[in-house]
Amino acid sequence: MSLMCLTSLMCPLLGSGPPLRLVGGEEDFEGRVEVFHGGRWGSVCDDQWDDRDAEVVCRQLGFGGVAKAWSWAHFGQGSGPILLDAVKCTGNELLLEQCPHGDWEKHNCDHMEDAGVSCSPYTGTLTLSLMHSHTHA
């Protein structure tokens, strides 16, 4: 089975671990975290979910800057399977799959515990230019 990515936001590192997507956010860079595994999309439980996990998700999706973790289905409840639980990233991983986690599809959660993230939409560095203005009286 092959998976086609519709946008780079959905799975830019295809072939480098299970694809991720963000669902239910007002912007493309935020939402409920869903992972593709076993031929279907599913959510991640928020047990032990924190900003280090969010940082890895945002990195995998190609976002830089500050990442924020959300719990308690902040971006709405999923309806498919809950595929991951007890994700414990250090924040240095490139892919969510590299983080320690429970076995696939083994969890003690329901969808009101779906994990989410907000990523910075900016990549690279931000340059700020200040213009000096002279006022003559």
Side-chain angles (χ1 to χ4, degrees), residues 79-126:
S79 58
I82 298 172
L83 294 177
L84 285 177
D85 189 12
V87 177
K88 295 180 267 188
C89 301
T90 64
N92 296 317
E93 298 88 353
L94 297 177
L95 306 169
L96 189 64
E97 164 181 63
Q98 295 171 336
C99 302
H101 58 77
D103 293 335
W104 287 97
E105 298 190 55
K106 301 289 185 193
H107 62 85
N108 60 351
C109 305
D110 60 32
H111 283 297
M112 64 189 257
E113 296 176 82
D114 283 345
V117 299
S118 295
C119 304
S120 170
Y122 307 108
T123 57
T125 59
L126 179 65

Side-chain angles (χ1 to χ4, degrees), residues 60-81:
Q60 183 172 345
L61 291 172
F63 295 109
V66 178
K68 175 166 178 36
W70 295 93
S71 57
W72 294 106
H74 182 81
F75 295 103
Q77 296 183 23
S79 58

Side-chain angles (χ1 to χ4, degrees), residues 44-64:
V44 177
C45 180
D46 68 6
D47 291 349
Q48 302 178 35
W49 189 252
D50 62 23
D51 290 345
R52 291 172 293 190
D53 305 315
E55 185 175 347
V56 174
V57 168
C58 293
R59 181 180 300 121
Q60 183 172 345
L61 291 172
F63 295 109

